[in-house]
Amino acid sequence: MLTFDVRIYETEFRADRRKSFRVRWSVGGKKHSKSYTLKAQADGRRSELMAAVRQGEQFDTEEGLPSSELRAQTHTATWYEHAQDYAQMKWPRAAAKHRASIADALATVTSALVQSDVRGYYKPRALRTALYAWAFRMVRQDDGSLIPRTETEAPPTEVAHALAWVTKHSLPITEAAKPEHLRKALTSISVKLDGKAAAENTTRRKR
C-alpha cells in the first residue's frame, strides 16, 4: 500500500556494530532501517529519502521505498523498448535515407534479440515489416514531438500481432548485452531472411 505518511529520523551511530551508521524511517507507522559502514553513505541515503518526501512521492508501506524506486526495481527495460527510444532520439537529426537505414538495422537485430526458449515469429517477414514500417518509424506531432507510428494510428491485424509478440518476448536489456545474445544479433545482420548471405555493404551498414 502506498502512503504519504512518512517519518525520517536522524542517522544513528552504533559503535558496537561493523556497519555503525543506521538510517531509520517509518512508512504508515511501519519501521524500516538500513545500516552502512560509512557515515557519508548513511547520510546520502537519508538525503535520498528526504528528497522523495519533499517531491511529494508516496512510499510503499511493506518495502519502505519511494514509489519511483519501487518502479525501477520491478521493471527492466527490454531491448525492444530501448531500440524504440534510440530511434526516437536519432530521428530528428537524421536524413530520410539514414532514417530508413536505422529502422532497417533495428528491425533486423530486434527480431533476433528475443527469448531463447521461444521459437522465432512464425512469419519472420511480417515481423520485420512491422518493426521497420511501424515500431521504428516516427511521426511528428502538431507540437513538434516525435512518437512511433503505432501510437498515431491503428496498425493492420498482422502488424499488431507481430508487435504484440515481440513486445512479449523481447529480451531484457541486461540479457541482450550478454555475449551469446550479441553474437546472435551480429549473425542476424549478415544473413537475409531466406538464409543467404547478405551483401557486405549491407552487413557493414547494419553493424
Side-chain angles (χ1 to χ4, degrees), residues 11-26:
T11 300
E12 181 183 40
F13 175 68
R14 299 179 297 169
D16 60 331
R17 305 293 177 89
R18 184 176 65 84
K19 293 185 176 182
S20 306
F21 300 93
R22 184 169 69 167
V23 180
R24 298 183 303 117
W25 70 102
S26 67

Side-chain angles (χ1 to χ4, degrees), residues 45-101:
R45 180 54 178 154
R46 183 176 183 275
S47 295
E48 290 174 348
L49 295 173
M50 292 290 291
V53 171
R54 286 195 296 269
Q55 290 165 11
E57 283 197 52
Q58 290 183 303
F59 280 56
D60 180 78
T61 54
E62 291 300 315
E63 300 294 331
L65 299 176
S67 56
S68 60
E69 288 189 20
L70 204 59
R71 286 195 301 271
Q73 287 187 5
T74 56
H75 176 73
T76 300
T78 64
W79 164 262
Y80 177 47
E81 292 170 330
H82 170 72
Q84 279 198 304
D85 287 344
Y86 177 81
Q88 195 167 1
M89 179 269 293
K90 296 290 285 186
W91 211 259
R93 292 174 293 280
K97 188 175 181 179
H98 189 199
R99 289 174 175 177
S101 180

